[in-house]
PDB file of all heavy atoms in Angstrom:
ATOM      1  N   LEU F 993    -115.787  68.628  19.682  1.00  0.00           N
ATOM      2  CA  LEU F 993    -116.340  69.929  19.314  1.00  0.00           C
ATOM      3  C   LEU F 993    -117.222  69.802  18.072  1.00  0.00           C
ATOM      4  O   LEU F 993    -118.301  70.403  17.996  1.00  0.00           O
ATOM      5  CB  LEU F 993    -115.208  70.931  19.057  1.00  0.00           C
ATOM      6  CG  LEU F 993    -114.491  71.482  20.294  1.00  0.00           C
ATOM      7  CD1 LEU F 993    -113.298  72.350  19.873  1.00  0.00           C
ATOM      8  CD2 LEU F 993    -115.454  72.298  21.152  1.00  0.00           C
ATOM      9  N   PHE F 994    -116.759  69.041  17.101  1.00  0.00           N
ATOM     10  CA  PHE F 994    -117.534  68.826  15.884  1.00  0.00           C
ATOM     11  C   PHE F 994    -118.870  68.157  16.197  1.00  0.00           C
ATOM     12  O   PHE F 994    -119.928  68.562  15.696  1.00  0.00           O
ATOM     13  CB  PHE F 994    -116.725  67.973  14.911  1.00  0.00           C
ATOM     14  CG  PHE F 994    -117.542  67.376  13.803  1.00  0.00           C
ATOM     15  CD1 PHE F 994    -118.014  68.170  12.768  1.00  0.00           C
ATOM     16  CD2 PHE F 994    -117.853  66.024  13.808  1.00  0.00           C
ATOM     17  CE1 PHE F 994    -118.782  67.613  11.748  1.00  0.00           C
ATOM     18  CE2 PHE F 994    -118.614  65.472  12.800  1.00  0.00           C
ATOM     19  CZ  PHE F 994    -119.079  66.266  11.760  1.00  0.00           C
ATOM     20  N   LEU F 995    -118.828  67.117  17.026  1.00  0.00           N
ATOM     21  CA  LEU F 995    -120.056  66.405  17.378  1.00  0.00           C
ATOM     22  C   LEU F 995    -121.033  67.304  18.138  1.00  0.00           C
ATOM     23  O   LEU F 995    -122.250  67.232  17.938  1.00  0.00           O
ATOM     24  CB  LEU F 995    -119.719  65.168  18.216  1.00  0.00           C
ATOM     25  CG  LEU F 995    -118.919  64.066  17.510  1.00  0.00           C
ATOM     26  CD1 LEU F 995    -118.569  62.949  18.486  1.00  0.00           C
ATOM     27  CD2 LEU F 995    -119.691  63.512  16.327  1.00  0.00           C
ATOM     28  N   TYR F 996    -120.487  68.156  18.989  1.00  0.00           N
ATOM     29  CA  TYR F 996    -121.345  69.037  19.779  1.00  0.00           C
ATOM     30  C   TYR F 996    -122.008  70.106  18.912  1.00  0.00           C
ATOM     31  O   TYR F 996    -123.182  70.436  19.086  1.00  0.00           O
ATOM     32  CB  TYR F 996    -120.526  69.710  20.886  1.00  0.00           C
ATOM     33  CG  TYR F 996    -121.330  70.636  21.766  1.00  0.00           C
ATOM     34  CD1 TYR F 996    -122.125  70.119  22.790  1.00  0.00           C
ATOM     35  CD2 TYR F 996    -121.319  72.014  21.574  1.00  0.00           C
ATOM     36  CE1 TYR F 996    -122.877  70.953  23.594  1.00  0.00           C
ATOM     37  CE2 TYR F 996    -122.056  72.860  22.369  1.00  0.00           C
ATOM     38  CZ  TYR F 996    -122.840  72.332  23.378  1.00  0.00           C
ATOM     39  OH  TYR F 996    -123.592  73.163  24.172  1.00  0.00           O
ATOM     40  N   VAL F 997    -121.247  70.648  17.940  1.00  0.00           N
ATOM     41  CA  VAL F 997    -121.758  71.756  17.121  1.00  0.00           C
ATOM     42  C   VAL F 997    -122.671  71.272  15.998  1.00  0.00           C
ATOM     43  O   VAL F 997    -123.679  71.923  15.686  1.00  0.00           O
ATOM     44  CB  VAL F 997    -120.574  72.559  16.526  1.00  0.00           C
ATOM     45  CG1 VAL F 997    -121.072  73.591  15.515  1.00  0.00           C
ATOM     46  CG2 VAL F 997    -119.803  73.249  17.634  1.00  0.00           C
ATOM     47  N   THR F 998    -122.337  70.154  15.392  1.00  0.00           N
ATOM     48  CA  THR F 998    -123.058  69.750  14.173  1.00  0.00           C
ATOM     49  C   THR F 998    -124.081  68.640  14.391  1.00  0.00           C
ATOM     50  O   THR F 998    -124.823  68.308  13.453  1.00  0.00           O
ATOM     51  CB  THR F 998    -122.054  69.274  13.108  1.00  0.00           C
ATOM     52  OG1 THR F 998    -121.368  68.110  13.580  1.00  0.00           O
ATOM     53  CG2 THR F 998    -121.046  70.373  12.791  1.00  0.00           C
ATOM     54  N   THR F 999    -124.111  68.039  15.564  1.00  0.00           N
ATOM     55  CA  THR F 999    -125.083  66.975  15.812  1.00  0.00           C
ATOM     56  C   THR F 999    -125.825  67.246  17.123  1.00  0.00           C
ATOM     57  O   THR F 999    -125.466  68.154  17.876  1.00  0.00           O
ATOM     58  CB  THR F 999    -124.397  65.594  15.904  1.00  0.00           C
ATOM     59  OG1 THR F 999    -123.651  65.519  17.131  1.00  0.00           O
ATOM     60  CG2 THR F 999    -123.453  65.369  14.732  1.00  0.00           C
ATOM     61  N   ASP F1000    -126.830  66.436  17.352  1.00  0.00           N
ATOM     62  CA  ASP F1000    -127.589  66.554  18.604  1.00  0.00           C
ATOM     63  C   ASP F1000    -127.215  65.435  19.572  1.00  0.00           C
ATOM     64  O   ASP F1000    -128.010  65.037  20.418  1.00  0.00           O
ATOM     65  CB  ASP F1000    -129.092  66.521  18.326  1.00  0.00           C
ATOM     66  CG  ASP F1000    -129.514  65.246  17.613  1.00  0.00           C
ATOM     67  OD1 ASP F1000    -128.614  64.468  17.228  1.00  0.00           O
ATOM     68  OD2 ASP F1000    -130.727  65.019  17.451  1.00  0.00           O
ATOM     69  N   LEU F1001    -126.001  64.921  19.424  1.00  0.00           N
ATOM     70  CA  LEU F1001    -125.554  63.793  20.235  1.00  0.00           C
ATOM     71  C   LEU F1001    -125.653  64.078  21.727  1.00  0.00           C
ATOM     72  O   LEU F1001    -126.073  63.213  22.506  1.00  0.00           O
ATOM     73  CB  LEU F1001    -124.106  63.424  19.868  1.00  0.00           C
ATOM     74  CG  LEU F1001    -123.454  62.311  20.700  1.00  0.00           C
ATOM     75  CD1 LEU F1001    -124.195  60.999  20.503  1.00  0.00           C
ATOM     76  CD2 LEU F1001    -121.987  62.146  20.337  1.00  0.00           C
ATOM     77  N   PHE F1002    -125.272  65.293  22.129  1.00  0.00           N
ATOM     78  CA  PHE F1002    -125.233  65.614  23.558  1.00  0.00           C
ATOM     79  C   PHE F1002    -126.581  66.126  24.077  1.00  0.00           C
ATOM     80  O   PHE F1002    -126.725  66.397  25.266  1.00  0.00           O
ATOM     81  CB  PHE F1002    -124.146  66.658  23.836  1.00  0.00           C
ATOM     82  CG  PHE F1002    -122.755  66.132  23.644  1.00  0.00           C
ATOM     83  CD1 PHE F1002    -122.089  66.310  22.441  1.00  0.00           C
ATOM     84  CD2 PHE F1002    -122.108  65.445  24.654  1.00  0.00           C
ATOM     85  CE1 PHE F1002    -120.799  65.827  22.255  1.00  0.00           C
ATOM     86  CE2 PHE F1002    -120.830  64.952  24.483  1.00  0.00           C
ATOM     87  CZ  PHE F1002    -120.175  65.135  23.274  1.00  0.00           C
ATOM     88  N   GLN F1003    -127.536  66.300  23.190  1.00  0.00           N
ATOM     89  CA  GLN F1003    -128.857  66.781  23.607  1.00  0.00           C
ATOM     90  C   GLN F1003    -129.857  65.646  23.794  1.00  0.00           C
ATOM     91  O   GLN F1003    -130.709  65.680  24.684  1.00  0.00           O
ATOM     92  CB  GLN F1003    -129.411  67.774  22.571  1.00  0.00           C
ATOM     93  CG  GLN F1003    -128.814  69.176  22.640  1.00  0.00           C
ATOM     94  CD  GLN F1003    -127.398  69.225  22.112  1.00  0.00           C
ATOM     95  OE1 GLN F1003    -127.109  68.625  21.087  1.00  0.00           O
ATOM     96  NE2 GLN F1003    -126.527  69.936  22.802  1.00  0.00           N
ATOM     97  N   LYS F1004    -129.766  64.649  22.934  1.00  0.00           N
ATOM     98  CA  LYS F1004    -130.731  63.561  23.017  1.00  0.00           C
ATOM     99  C   LYS F1004    -130.287  62.503  24.024  1.00  0.00           C
ATOM    100  O   LYS F1004    -129.096  62.401  24.359  1.00  0.00           O
ATOM    101  CB  LYS F1004    -130.909  62.922  21.639  1.00  0.00           C
ATOM    102  CG  LYS F1004    -129.665  62.234  21.095  1.00  0.00           C
ATOM    103  CD  LYS F1004    -129.926  61.656  19.728  1.00  0.00           C
ATOM    104  CE  LYS F1004    -128.682  60.935  19.186  1.00  0.00           C
ATOM    105  NZ  LYS F1004    -128.928  60.365  17.840  1.00  0.00           N
ATOM    106  N   ARG F1005    -131.243  61.744  24.503  1.00  0.00           N
ATOM    107  CA  ARG F1005    -130.949  60.675  25.452  1.00  0.00           C
ATOM    108  C   ARG F1005    -130.823  59.352  24.699  1.00  0.00           C
ATOM    109  O   ARG F1005    -131.798  58.833  24.156  1.00  0.00           O
ATOM    110  CB  ARG F1005    -132.059  60.583  26.496  1.00  0.00           C
ATOM    111  CG  ARG F1005    -132.153  61.808  27.400  1.00  0.00           C
ATOM    112  CD  ARG F1005    -133.223  61.620  28.454  1.00  0.00           C
ATOM    113  NE  ARG F1005    -133.305  62.766  29.349  1.00  0.00           N
ATOM    114  CZ  ARG F1005    -134.162  62.866  30.370  1.00  0.00           C
ATOM    115  NH1 ARG F1005    -135.019  61.871  30.601  1.00  0.00           N
ATOM    116  NH2 ARG F1005    -134.171  63.938  31.129  1.00  0.00           N
ATOM    117  N   SER F1006    -129.613  58.839  24.674  1.00  0.00           N
ATOM    118  CA  SER F1006    -129.365  57.573  23.994  1.00  0.00           C
ATOM    119  C   SER F1006    -128.100  56.945  24.560  1.00  0.00           C
ATOM    120  O   SER F1006    -127.375  57.561  25.354  1.00  0.00           O
ATOM    121  CB  SER F1006    -129.201  57.799  22.486  1.00  0.00           C
ATOM    122  OG  SER F1006    -128.037  58.571  22.235  1.00  0.00           O
ATOM    123  N   ILE F1007    -127.850  55.721  24.146  1.00  0.00           N
ATOM    124  CA  ILE F1007    -126.647  55.034  24.607  1.00  0.00           C
ATOM    125  C   ILE F1007    -125.398  55.772  24.119  1.00  0.00           C
ATOM    126  O   ILE F1007    -124.428  55.925  24.861  1.00  0.00           O
ATOM    127  CB  ILE F1007    -126.636  53.577  24.105  1.00  0.00           C
ATOM    128  CG1 ILE F1007    -127.802  52.798  24.718  1.00  0.00           C
ATOM    129  CG2 ILE F1007    -125.307  52.911  24.453  1.00  0.00           C
ATOM    130  CD1 ILE F1007    -127.912  51.357  24.235  1.00  0.00           C
ATOM    131  N   LEU F1008    -125.432  56.250  22.870  1.00  0.00           N
ATOM    132  CA  LEU F1008    -124.297  56.993  22.328  1.00  0.00           C
ATOM    133  C   LEU F1008    -124.045  58.274  23.101  1.00  0.00           C
ATOM    134  O   LEU F1008    -122.900  58.661  23.340  1.00  0.00           O
ATOM    135  CB  LEU F1008    -124.531  57.317  20.847  1.00  0.00           C
ATOM    136  CG  LEU F1008    -124.319  56.183  19.844  1.00  0.00           C
ATOM    137  CD1 LEU F1008    -124.611  56.674  18.435  1.00  0.00           C
ATOM    138  CD2 LEU F1008    -122.900  55.632  19.936  1.00  0.00           C
ATOM    139  N   SER F1009    -125.120  58.933  23.492  1.00  0.00           N
ATOM    140  CA  SER F1009    -124.986  60.177  24.260  1.00  0.00           C
ATOM    141  C   SER F1009    -124.333  59.921  25.611  1.00  0.00           C
ATOM    142  O   SER F1009    -123.424  60.649  26.035  1.00  0.00           O
ATOM    143  CB  SER F1009    -126.360  60.821  24.455  1.00  0.00           C
ATOM    144  OG  SER F1009    -126.258  61.983  25.259  1.00  0.00           O
ATOM    145  N   VAL F1010    -124.807  58.882  26.287  1.00  0.00           N
ATOM    146  CA  VAL F1010    -124.228  58.530  27.591  1.00  0.00           C
ATOM    147  C   VAL F1010    -122.760  58.140  27.433  1.00  0.00           C
ATOM    148  O   VAL F1010    -121.902  58.532  28.243  1.00  0.00           O
ATOM    149  CB  VAL F1010    -125.023  57.363  28.230  1.00  0.00           C
ATOM    150  CG1 VAL F1010    -124.331  56.878  29.500  1.00  0.00           C
ATOM    151  CG2 VAL F1010    -126.441  57.813  28.538  1.00  0.00           C
ATOM    152  N   LEU F1011    -122.453  57.377  26.380  1.00  0.00           N
ATOM    153  CA  LEU F1011    -121.075  56.972  26.132  1.00  0.00           C
ATOM    154  C   LEU F1011    -120.185  58.172  25.850  1.00  0.00           C
ATOM    155  O   LEU F1011    -119.055  58.251  26.362  1.00  0.00           O
ATOM    156  CB  LEU F1011    -121.024  55.992  24.949  1.00  0.00           C
ATOM    157  CG  LEU F1011    -119.634  55.493  24.540  1.00  0.00           C
ATOM    158  CD1 LEU F1011    -118.970  54.763  25.693  1.00  0.00           C
ATOM    159  CD2 LEU F1011    -119.726  54.598  23.312  1.00  0.00           C
ATOM    160  N   ALA F1012    -120.681  59.112  25.045  1.00  0.00           N
ATOM    161  CA  ALA F1012    -119.905  60.310  24.711  1.00  0.00           C
ATOM    162  C   ALA F1012    -119.601  61.138  25.955  1.00  0.00           C
ATOM    163  O   ALA F1012    -118.461  61.583  26.166  1.00  0.00           O
ATOM    164  CB  ALA F1012    -120.661  61.163  23.692  1.00  0.00           C
ATOM    165  N   ILE F1013    -120.591  61.345  26.794  1.00  0.00           N
ATOM    166  CA  ILE F1013    -120.390  62.114  28.033  1.00  0.00           C
ATOM    167  C   ILE F1013    -119.408  61.396  28.955  1.00  0.00           C
ATOM    168  O   ILE F1013    -118.545  62.019  29.586  1.00  0.00           O
ATOM    169  CB  ILE F1013    -121.739  62.342  28.740  1.00  0.00           C
ATOM    170  CG1 ILE F1013    -122.632  63.244  27.884  1.00  0.00           C
ATOM    171  CG2 ILE F1013    -121.529  62.967  30.113  1.00  0.00           C
ATOM    172  CD1 ILE F1013    -124.038  63.403  28.424  1.00  0.00           C
ATOM    173  N   ALA F1014    -119.531  60.064  29.028  1.00  0.00           N
ATOM    174  CA  ALA F1014    -118.629  59.282  29.876  1.00  0.00           C
ATOM    175  C   ALA F1014    -117.187  59.382  29.378  1.00  0.00           C
ATOM    176  O   ALA F1014    -116.251  59.539  30.177  1.00  0.00           O
ATOM    177  CB  ALA F1014    -119.081  57.827  29.907  1.00  0.00           C
TER     178      ALA F1014
END
Side-chain angles (χ1 to χ4, degrees):
L993 285 174
F994 164 73
L995 294 176
Y996 180 80
V997 172
T998 63
T999 71
D1000 58 353
L1001 176 63
F1002 291 95
Q1003 282 73 43
K1004 65 181 181 180
R1005 294 183 179 180
S1006 65
I1007 296 178
L1008 283 179
S1009 177
V1010 173
L1011 179 60
I1013 294 174

